[in-house]
Short mmCIF file of all heavy atoms in Angstrom, two decimals:
data_model
loop_
_atom_site.label_atom_id
_atom_site.label_comp_id
_atom_site.label_asym_id
_atom_site.label_seq_id
_atom_site.Cartn_x
_atom_site.Cartn_y
_atom_site.Cartn_z
N GLY L 150 -32.75 7.86 23.87
CA GLY L 150 -33.22 8.55 25.07
C GLY L 150 -34.10 9.74 24.70
O GLY L 150 -34.02 10.26 23.59
N LEU L 151 -34.92 10.15 25.68
CA LEU L 151 -35.89 11.22 25.42
C LEU L 151 -35.27 12.60 25.59
O LEU L 151 -35.68 13.56 24.96
CB LEU L 151 -37.07 11.09 26.38
CG LEU L 151 -37.83 9.75 26.35
CD1 LEU L 151 -38.76 9.66 27.55
CD2 LEU L 151 -38.61 9.64 25.05
N GLY L 152 -34.31 12.69 26.51
CA GLY L 152 -33.75 14.00 26.86
C GLY L 152 -33.60 14.07 28.37
O GLY L 152 -33.10 13.14 29.00
N VAL L 153 -34.11 15.16 28.97
CA VAL L 153 -34.03 15.30 30.42
C VAL L 153 -35.27 14.63 31.04
O VAL L 153 -36.40 14.92 30.64
CB VAL L 153 -33.99 16.79 30.83
CG1 VAL L 153 -33.88 16.91 32.34
CG2 VAL L 153 -32.85 17.51 30.14
N VAL L 154 -35.04 13.75 31.98
CA VAL L 154 -36.15 13.06 32.66
C VAL L 154 -35.96 13.18 34.18
O VAL L 154 -34.88 13.54 34.63
CB VAL L 154 -36.24 11.57 32.24
CG1 VAL L 154 -36.42 11.43 30.74
CG2 VAL L 154 -35.01 10.79 32.71
N ALA L 155 -37.02 12.88 34.93
CA ALA L 155 -36.94 13.06 36.38
C ALA L 155 -37.39 11.82 37.13
O ALA L 155 -38.23 11.05 36.65
CB ALA L 155 -37.81 14.25 36.80
N ALA L 156 -36.79 11.64 38.31
CA ALA L 156 -37.18 10.58 39.25
C ALA L 156 -37.58 11.25 40.55
O ALA L 156 -36.83 12.07 41.09
CB ALA L 156 -36.00 9.64 39.50
N ILE L 157 -38.77 10.92 41.05
CA ILE L 157 -39.24 11.46 42.35
C ILE L 157 -39.54 10.25 43.21
O ILE L 157 -40.36 9.40 42.84
CB ILE L 157 -40.51 12.32 42.17
CG1 ILE L 157 -40.26 13.47 41.19
CG2 ILE L 157 -40.99 12.87 43.52
CD1 ILE L 157 -41.51 14.25 40.78
N THR L 158 -38.87 10.13 44.34
CA THR L 158 -38.91 8.85 45.07
C THR L 158 -39.36 9.02 46.53
O THR L 158 -39.27 10.11 47.09
CB THR L 158 -37.54 8.16 45.00
OG1 THR L 158 -36.55 9.03 45.54
CG2 THR L 158 -37.17 7.81 43.56
N PRO L 159 -39.81 7.92 47.15
CA PRO L 159 -40.36 7.97 48.51
C PRO L 159 -39.29 7.72 49.58
O PRO L 159 -38.14 7.41 49.26
CB PRO L 159 -41.35 6.80 48.50
CG PRO L 159 -40.69 5.79 47.62
CD PRO L 159 -39.93 6.56 46.58
N PHE L 160 -39.74 7.81 50.83
CA PHE L 160 -38.78 7.67 51.94
C PHE L 160 -38.37 6.21 52.19
O PHE L 160 -37.33 5.95 52.77
CB PHE L 160 -39.41 8.24 53.24
CG PHE L 160 -40.38 7.29 53.90
CD1 PHE L 160 -39.93 6.34 54.82
CD2 PHE L 160 -41.73 7.30 53.60
CE1 PHE L 160 -40.82 5.43 55.41
CE2 PHE L 160 -42.61 6.41 54.16
CZ PHE L 160 -42.15 5.47 55.07
N ASN L 161 -39.21 5.25 51.76
CA ASN L 161 -39.08 3.92 52.36
C ASN L 161 -38.01 3.02 51.76
O ASN L 161 -37.60 2.07 52.40
CB ASN L 161 -40.44 3.21 52.39
CG ASN L 161 -40.97 2.86 51.03
OD1 ASN L 161 -40.75 3.60 50.09
ND2 ASN L 161 -41.64 1.75 50.92
N PHE L 162 -37.56 3.34 50.54
CA PHE L 162 -36.43 2.59 49.96
C PHE L 162 -35.47 3.61 49.35
O PHE L 162 -35.49 3.85 48.15
CB PHE L 162 -36.91 1.60 48.89
CG PHE L 162 -37.53 0.35 49.43
CD1 PHE L 162 -38.90 0.16 49.40
CD2 PHE L 162 -36.73 -0.65 49.99
CE1 PHE L 162 -39.47 -1.01 49.91
CE2 PHE L 162 -37.29 -1.82 50.50
CZ PHE L 162 -38.66 -2.00 50.46
N PRO L 163 -34.60 4.21 50.16
CA PRO L 163 -33.78 5.33 49.67
C PRO L 163 -32.75 4.91 48.62
O PRO L 163 -32.21 5.77 47.92
CB PRO L 163 -33.08 5.85 50.92
CG PRO L 163 -33.83 5.25 52.08
CD PRO L 163 -34.43 3.98 51.61
N VAL L 164 -32.45 3.62 48.50
CA VAL L 164 -31.50 3.18 47.47
C VAL L 164 -32.22 2.32 46.41
O VAL L 164 -32.10 2.56 45.22
CB VAL L 164 -30.31 2.40 48.08
CG1 VAL L 164 -29.45 1.77 47.00
CG2 VAL L 164 -29.47 3.34 48.94
N MET L 165 -33.00 1.34 46.86
CA MET L 165 -33.55 0.39 45.89
C MET L 165 -34.50 1.06 44.89
O MET L 165 -34.35 0.86 43.67
CB MET L 165 -34.28 -0.75 46.62
CG MET L 165 -34.76 -1.83 45.67
SD MET L 165 -35.61 -3.17 46.53
CE MET L 165 -37.21 -2.42 46.84
N VAL L 166 -35.45 1.85 45.38
CA VAL L 166 -36.41 2.44 44.44
C VAL L 166 -35.74 3.43 43.48
O VAL L 166 -35.96 3.35 42.26
CB VAL L 166 -37.63 3.03 45.19
CG1 VAL L 166 -38.43 3.95 44.27
CG2 VAL L 166 -38.53 1.91 45.69
N PRO L 167 -34.86 4.35 43.95
CA PRO L 167 -34.16 5.18 42.96
C PRO L 167 -33.39 4.34 41.94
O PRO L 167 -33.36 4.68 40.75
CB PRO L 167 -33.21 6.03 43.82
CG PRO L 167 -33.89 6.12 45.15
CD PRO L 167 -34.60 4.80 45.34
N CYS L 168 -32.79 3.23 42.41
CA CYS L 168 -32.04 2.36 41.48
C CYS L 168 -32.95 1.68 40.47
O CYS L 168 -32.48 1.13 39.48
CB CYS L 168 -31.24 1.31 42.23
SG CYS L 168 -29.70 1.94 42.89
N TRP L 169 -34.24 1.66 40.72
CA TRP L 169 -35.17 1.11 39.73
C TRP L 169 -35.45 2.12 38.63
O TRP L 169 -36.04 1.80 37.61
CB TRP L 169 -36.50 0.73 40.40
CG TRP L 169 -36.44 -0.45 41.30
CD1 TRP L 169 -35.34 -1.25 41.54
CD2 TRP L 169 -37.50 -1.00 42.08
NE1 TRP L 169 -35.67 -2.24 42.42
CE2 TRP L 169 -36.99 -2.11 42.77
CE3 TRP L 169 -38.83 -0.64 42.26
CZ2 TRP L 169 -37.77 -2.88 43.63
CZ3 TRP L 169 -39.62 -1.39 43.12
CH2 TRP L 169 -39.08 -2.51 43.79
N ILE L 170 -35.07 3.39 38.88
CA ILE L 170 -35.42 4.44 37.92
C ILE L 170 -34.19 5.04 37.23
O ILE L 170 -34.01 4.92 36.03
CB ILE L 170 -36.25 5.55 38.59
CG1 ILE L 170 -37.50 4.96 39.28
CG2 ILE L 170 -36.65 6.61 37.58
CD1 ILE L 170 -38.32 5.97 40.05
#
Side-chain angles (χ1 to χ4, degrees):
L151 302 168
V153 181
V154 302
I157 302 171
T158 58
F160 80 87
N161 67 326
F162 283 105
V164 171
M165 185 180 78
V166 165
C168 279
W169 290 357
I170 305 176

